[in-house]
Amino acid sequence: MKLIPGLVALPGTSRANKTGSWRIERPLFLHQKCNGCRLCDWCCPEGIVSGQGKLFDCDFDYCKGCGICAEVCPVDDIVMQVEER
Ligand code: SF4
Ligand code: SF4
C-alpha cells in the first residue's frame, strides 16, 4: 500500500498482524471484583477484550500490553504483570 501525507489508516487494521510479541507487560484479569461495566472492552485500543457477565479476558495474540484496560477498571480487577518470555 502506498502511503500519502495525511493518510489515516483504517481503524482495526492491527488485526492483520499479530502484535502480541511487542508486549513487555500483560494484563491479568482477576475475575474477583468485576462488576461487568465493560469499560475494559470499550477502551481497549485493539478491540480485543471480550467477555460476558463478570468474566472478561483478552486475545493475547494482539494485546500490546498498553495497560489501558487496567487503568480504566473501576474496581482494580485487572493488574499488569511483567511478560515472561
Ligand atoms: S493491555 Fe492494552 S491492548 Fe492489552 S487488553 Fe489491555 S487495553 Fe487491550
Ligand atoms: S473494567 Fe473491570 S469491572 Fe469493568 S468489565 Fe472490565 S474487568 Fe470488569
Side-chain angles (χ1 to χ4, degrees):
M1 180 172 76
K2 183 180 177 186
L3 295 178
I4 57 173
L7 176 74
V8 176
L10 292 173
T13 49
S14 61
R15 290 258 175 175
N17 302 294
K18 291 189 175 180
T19 50
S21 62
W22 298 6
R23 199 171 51 236
I24 58 172
E25 287 188 313
R26 64 162 46 210
L28 173 63
F29 291 72
L30 298 173
H31 301 154
Q32 292 174 355
K33 297 182 284 183
C34 177
N35 62 18
C37 70
R38 303 198 77 97
L39 276 176
C40 53
D41 179 7
W42 294 333
C43 294
C44 173
E46 303 306 317
I48 45 89
V49 175
S50 61
Q52 290 186 337
K54 299 178 180 180
L55 288 176
F56 287 79
D57 273 304
C58 71
D59 185 338
F60 284 107
D61 280 346
Y62 300 99
C63 171
K64 294 175 182 170
C66 67
I68 291 175
C69 54
E71 188 66 30
V72 299
C73 178
V75 292
D76 297 328
D77 206 34
I78 306 170
V79 295
M80 298 303 291
Q81 297 189 316
V82 173
E83 178 72 54
E84 305 270 345
R85 298 208 186 273

